[in-house]
Amino acid sequence: MKLSEFSSGPVPVENAAVEHAPTPAIKAGRIAYLVNVYPAVSHSFIQTEIAALERLGLEVSRFTIRRAASGLSSDDLVEAERTSSLLEGNKIGLVRAVTSTFLRHPAKSVSAMWHSLRGAGSGVRGLAYFAEAAALAQQLERQGIRHVHAHFGTNPVAVARLASRLAPVTYSFTAHGPDEFDSPRALDLPGKIADAAFVAGVSSFGRSQLMRWADPAHWDRIKAVRCAVAPHFLQAPADPASGYSTSRLVCVARLSAQKGLPLLMEAASQVAKTHGFTIDVIGDGVGRAVLEKMIARLGLEHRVRLLGWRSPQAVREALSQARGFVLPSFAEGLPVVLMEALALGKPVVATSIAGIPELVDPANGWLVPAGSVDALAEAIKALLDASPARLMEMGREGQDRVRRMHDPDNNARQLAELFAPLV
């Protein structure tokens, strides 16, 4: 199979002209952000987004359903101090919020609780969502905040939506995929879109999937707003050539079924017959035991290392020292780690799914069909065989593309313009 048979050219990106538009003034105001677990190692892009909005003059109050259990960096710990948890350590506050809500707004409370119990799938979950929404609505009113933005179209949006029924606030959300698109009816994605002030997809593909599950009358509120990489990836990238002479590859991913890592083990077994290399897998999850067994069965102990979670600084260092990056996902939105690898000048091997082809093409990497061990193995071989000059050329294109498409200040300005009439 020729690599050209499973590569594709550049894909036009929705709202691509935003980067080149004149810089309008941003209306100052206060908004809230709501996330299921915040801060978290895998959600550093949300911190990047909030910081960029604050540089534009918006005040952002952070709320989380629950706090991350461990693995926080020093920056995360500072951010955690600024974040209010609705659930953990707040049982008395939840009871007080529910009681106060029923006393002040009995009709609204009964209606919101009925919607919560009907849509949550279980009575316990429905009651929890209602209590969290009551606490959120109460805090938003106290702080004079009129709008809340949630990341991920799962339970944070359910809570924000209920809060909008209890208090004079609006909500919006960013849907990342694939979870929202795997269970759109169970999550009532059409209803969440219908009630939202606007909804953001992180790619043109993501926007199309939101449109798929929305009434066409609501399509105008669905936008493509890309996530961004942290400024330090763009401002002071490491020397891309530092890893081009090595045969070290890196994969950063949760060890879950969505990421397709067993496929990477099979492909690595094929590549090992003709090439020397190592693959460092950074991340952890429920699939670790399966991967450990595969590594032993395939004799890859000296080829593949499962390193577990690492700090953002350690991930950056690992990417900087690698020849390239590999991500064999079965389901995605548009992974931020792909942006980070490209920002550091590293060519990537990724599957041609979801929003990935909007960022990756033959100019900066190799796209392969999801689920094909042979195609993945051939792409890895091509990465290992490429000359340093070719890798440098691809690395520069990757850096340029990330700067154009995933700059935090440019993308935050697009969000701020959407928030402006709501604050």
Side-chain angles (χ1 to χ4, degrees):
M1 176 184 289
K2 296 180 180 179
L3 288 178
S4 60
E5 294 177 5
F6 53 78
S7 295
S8 62
V11 176
V13 179
E14 182 76 17
N15 296 330
V18 169
E19 295 86 27
H20 310 292
T23 302
I26 295 298
K27 176 184 176 182
R30 300 188 68 185
I31 60 170
Y33 259 52
L34 175 63
V35 187
N36 188 34
V37 179
Y38 184 82
V41 173
S42 58
H43 296 164
S44 60
F45 62 91
I46 303 177
Q47 287 191 51
T48 297
E49 184 173 289
I50 292 174
L53 288 169
E54 291 181 326
R55 286 195 294 273
L56 290 172
L58 285 169
E59 295 182 46
V60 182
S61 293
R62 291 93 155 143
F63 294 92
T64 183
I65 304 296
R66 57 180 59 82
R67 300 188 186 277
S70 60
L72 296 183
S73 67
S74 57
D75 289 341
D76 292 333
L77 292 173
V78 172
E79 188 73 358
E81 288 296 315
R82 304 179 65 185
T83 303
S84 299
S85 175
L86 299 178
L87 187 60
E88 295 177 352
N90 191 37
K91 291 182 180 178
I92 295 176
L94 288 173
V95 172
R96 288 175 176 171
V98 170
T99 302
S100 173
T101 298
F102 268 101
L103 290 175
R104 292 174 59 208
H105 307 294
K108 285 184 180 180
S109 299
V110 170
S111 175
M113 178 171 281
W114 180 80
H115 281 284
S116 184
L117 292 171
R118 186 183 66 167
S122 77
V124 172
R125 187 181 298 118
L127 291 173
Y129 287 178
F130 178 82
E132 292 157 14
L136 177 63
Q138 189 175 81
Q139 292 203 49
L140 294 178
E141 287 193 275
R142 284 176 179 171
Q143 296 182 38
I145 296 174
R146 297 170 50 199
H147 185 78
V148 57
H149 185 75
H151 264 277
F152 305 101
T154 51
N155 56 320
V157 186
V159 173
R161 188 183 182 191
L162 286 169
S164 73
R165 295 176 182 272
L166 297 172
V169 298
T170 55
Y171 75 91
S172 56
F173 66 97
T174 296
H176 293 260
D179 292 340
E180 300 95 330
F181 309 139
D182 285 346
S183 305
R185 295 192 187 282
L187 294 172
D188 190 20
L189 194 55
K192 289 174 177 175
I193 296 170
D195 290 346
F198 72 86
V199 184
V202 297
S203 64
S204 291
F205 171 83
R207 180 173 181 267
S208 76
Q209 295 307 292
L210 291 166
M211 294 168 70
R212 175 187 175 194
W213 293 103
D215 186 318
H218 301 146
W219 284 1
D220 62 342
R221 72 187 63 178
I222 302 174
K223 313 296 180 180
V225 183
R226 296 183 292 276
C227 292
V229 296
H232 63 80
F233 279 95
L234 302 175
Q235 294 169 352
D239 177 13
S242 62
Y244 292 161
S245 61
T246 75
S247 57
R248 179 169 175 257
L249 308 178
V250 170
C251 172
V252 182
R254 297 189 315 276
L255 307 189
S256 66
Q258 293 174 346
K259 300 299 180 178
L261 294 178
L263 195 80
L264 180 58
M265 301 302 109
E266 297 284 358
S269 179
Q270 288 191 22
V271 176
K273 297 175 183 177
T274 56
H275 292 68
F277 67 93
T278 59
I279 301 177
D280 284 342
V281 179
I282 299 176
D284 218 328
V286 295
R288 186 183 185 97
V290 171
L291 295 177
E292 289 173 339
K293 291 178 181 178
M294 290 190 72
I295 290 169
R297 175 172 60 82
L298 296 171
L300 296 172
E301 293 92 341
H302 302 296
R303 300 288 188 191
V304 179
R305 297 193 301 170
L306 303 180
L307 301 182
W309 290 116
R310 293 290 187 269
S311 69
Q313 293 79 9
V315 171
R316 187 178 187 277
E317 183 177 352
L319 290 171
S320 299
Q321 296 175 357
R323 184 181 188 87
F325 179 81
V326 183
L327 189 66
S329 304
F330 294 151
E332 278 294 357
L334 181 52
V336 173
V337 70
L338 276 180
M339 307 168 200
E340 294 173 344
L342 291 169
L344 293 175
K346 301 303 174 180
V348 303
V349 174
T351 43
S352 185
I353 60 170
I356 292 176
E358 297 173 32
L359 179 61
V360 180
D361 61 40
N364 59 16
W366 290 265
L367 283 174
V368 301
S372 173
V373 172
D374 292 342
L376 181 60
E378 289 301 311
I380 293 172
K381 290 178 185 177
L383 172 57
L384 293 170
D385 289 339
S387 68
R390 175 58 178 151
L391 295 176
M392 177 66 77
E393 180 183 355
M394 298 175 79
R396 286 173 177 162
E397 173 58 31
Q399 287 179 317
D400 289 344
R401 193 167 300 178
V402 171
R403 290 185 181 118
R404 291 196 307 270
M405 296 171 60
H406 300 284
D407 176 84
D409 292 316
N410 287 338
N411 295 358
R413 184 165 297 279
Q414 186 183 358
L415 266 178
E417 291 169 358
L418 293 168
F419 291 141
L422 305 170
V423 299

